[in-house]
Amino acid sequence: MKQLYKALFILCIVFFSCSKPSFQLDTYTLDNIINKYVSEDYYPFLHVLIDDKDGHTIYDYSSVNKNAHPELKVDKNTLMRIWSMSKIVTISIVMDLVEEKLISLDDAVTDYIPEFKSLDVAKSPDGRSLSVFTSGSIFEGPIENNVDLACPMELKKSDSIMLVRHLVDHTAGFYYANTGIECLDKLIIDEDPVMADNSDSLINILSRLPLIHHPGERYHYGLNTTVLGLVAERATNMSLEELVENRITRPSGFDGLKFKVNDNEKLIPAMTYKDGYFRKPNKGEMDISGNNVPRYDKNQQLYIGGGGLVSTSKAYANYLRIWLNNGPAPNSRAFSVICLRAVFRCGGVPFLCGKLDSMQPIGFIAASIELATCASGDESAERVAAASAHVKRSESHLAVAESSGSRRRAGRPRFWPRLTSPPSTTTSTATDSYTHL
């Protein structure tokens, strides 16, 4: 694993100047490292694509575990589930709406979703929020290690106002069904929210589920970004599918980032390594959001902003290049500079102040856009220096789609390394399976 970290670090080091970065890529070594982690069953496959800010491919390599996928061929045009890489897409749309004053980060979520006015909070018998019994992220462990004290749970009315910013920074209280608290996980598994018919149906399901803590009380990674997408839909009277198309792919001139799969398109089968070998998961094993995963059906009316997008690696690199170029094409509006800065500024969105989750490419984008403004000539040297220092502090700057079939070994970190990436390249590392947590 240290070899892989070293290779990716060489690829993704940040250059703190306005000059064009240059480096020589040792493709032979990198190819071998990628092959190693696929052949040793860490991943069913890996695909790595590195483009420069003009869209020219610098590196494009795939490795497939033939025990998992005997006939599979993967390239930059292969459609994949991108899971939680969907989150930054939803967040960037919402920040665009914030700039247009259609949404404020300090708005109450109930301004858009009044169905949430009577949400309960799950409490232990001694009155503590159940969030204290579980790890809300990879950055911190549970406050209380004895999870047996969490159940039977009691439901209490929330004493806090849930704000839009709580959805952005994962402090709203929504969670996934992997808390390890049986009485809580069972509720969301039984409801199976990703199988809702549409957004209103999903809202009704979530309104019946308790929060894991009071809004603003603590960071807990979960369905918060999915709810954020529902807020965007209510604020604009448009579906999240329409928002992605109208605000990202169409004005930027690319396709391949979407919620639905056409009849002539197939997704790579998901894999699990639960039993010590790659196999297709049984029903109920992919239980992070219930018993199922998003359907990606061409007729679906439900769009999961926290994990429901599919994309090719080329399309996702095109999306990331919006952040590098303030729009990847000369005539592209995409997101304004103001919106882009707001997404990662700590004062506006606290998740960059030590609350980054490695399933999201937020830190990568922060590094890229803060330093890319230097190249455009609209920032002072002081601003660039401050941005560089901010990038060093935030640490997590690599866009990675984490695998769901990844093999776990003693001492192996749960997620990919948090590294920096140069403002002149986009790095898309993908493996499309589902991690059984």
Side-chain angles (χ1 to χ4, degrees), residues 5 23 50 91 125 133 158 164 180 221 235 252 270 360 384 391 424 431:
Y5 285 7
F23 59 89
I50 303 175
I91 291 171
F133 296 92
S158 173
V164 172
Y221 187 78
S252 301
Q360 299 184 46
V384 173
V391 167
S424 61
T431 175

Side-chain angles (χ1 to χ4, degrees), residues 195-421:
M195 297 303 290
D197 292 332
N198 51 46
S199 297
D200 288 343
S201 177
L202 177 59
I203 287 172
N204 289 333
I205 289 173
L206 295 176
S207 69
R208 296 194 294 268
L209 295 172
L211 301 174
I212 198 168
H213 57 66
H214 293 282
E217 178 183 344
R218 191 168 182 243
Y219 177 93
H220 195 99
Y221 187 78
L223 288 165
N224 304 283
T225 318
T226 293
V227 177
L228 186 68
L230 298 172
V231 168
E233 290 185 332
R234 288 280 180 93
T236 60
N237 198 30
M238 300 175 69
S239 71
L240 198 55
E241 179 186 42
E242 293 172 311
L243 290 170
V244 169
E245 181 177 349
N246 293 341
R247 291 178 176 266
I248 298 179
T249 57
R250 183 183 297 167
S252 301
F254 70 90
D255 55 18
L257 177 67
K258 57 185 182 177
F259 286 97
K260 297 177 180 178
V261 175
N262 297 325
D263 288 338
N264 61 341
E265 297 173 323
K266 291 185 178 181
L267 292 174
I268 300 169
M271 289 284 159
T272 180
Y273 204 82
K274 182 180 180 181
D275 298 325
Y277 59 90
F278 287 118
R279 63 169 174 80
K280 293 182 180 180
N282 298 318
K283 183 176 178 60
E285 289 184 319
M286 303 175 70
D287 55 4
I288 190 170
S289 298
N291 283 319
N292 293 279
V293 297
R295 286 173 286 188
Y296 313 108
D297 184 81
K298 68 175 184 179
N299 297 317
Q300 71 179 13
Q301 299 299 315
L302 179 66
Y303 308 103
I304 305 294
L309 281 166
V310 296
S311 180
T312 65
S313 60
K314 186 64 176 180
Y316 208 87
N318 287 335
Y319 166 70
L320 292 179
R321 199 160 55 251
I322 296 174
W323 301 82
L324 303 183
N325 295 342
N326 298 331
N331 298 321
S332 170
R333 182 195 70 84
F335 308 124
S336 76
V337 177
I338 295 174
C339 167
L340 295 172
R341 292 174 188 162
V343 169
F344 52 77
R345 186 169 294 156
C346 285
V349 183
F351 55 56
L352 212 58
C353 303
K355 294 299 185 183
L356 287 165
D357 188 283
S358 60
M359 293 284 280
Q360 299 184 46
I362 303 289
F364 164 82
I365 290 168
S368 300
I369 186 61
E370 286 278 19
L371 297 177
T373 54
C374 172
S376 68
D378 64 12
E379 292 290 352
S380 66
E382 291 81 4
R383 170 71 173 169
V384 173
S388 301
H390 175 70
V391 167
K392 288 180 179 179
R393 288 195 302 272
S394 61
E395 295 185 353
S396 180
H397 313 303
L398 179 63
V400 173
E402 179 55 277
S403 148
S404 79
S406 57
R407 176 179 177 181
R408 300 279 165 74
R409 291 183 177 177
R412 178 176 178 266
R414 285 189 60 185
F415 298 112
W416 282 81
R418 298 187 298 279
L419 302 171
T420 53
S421 182

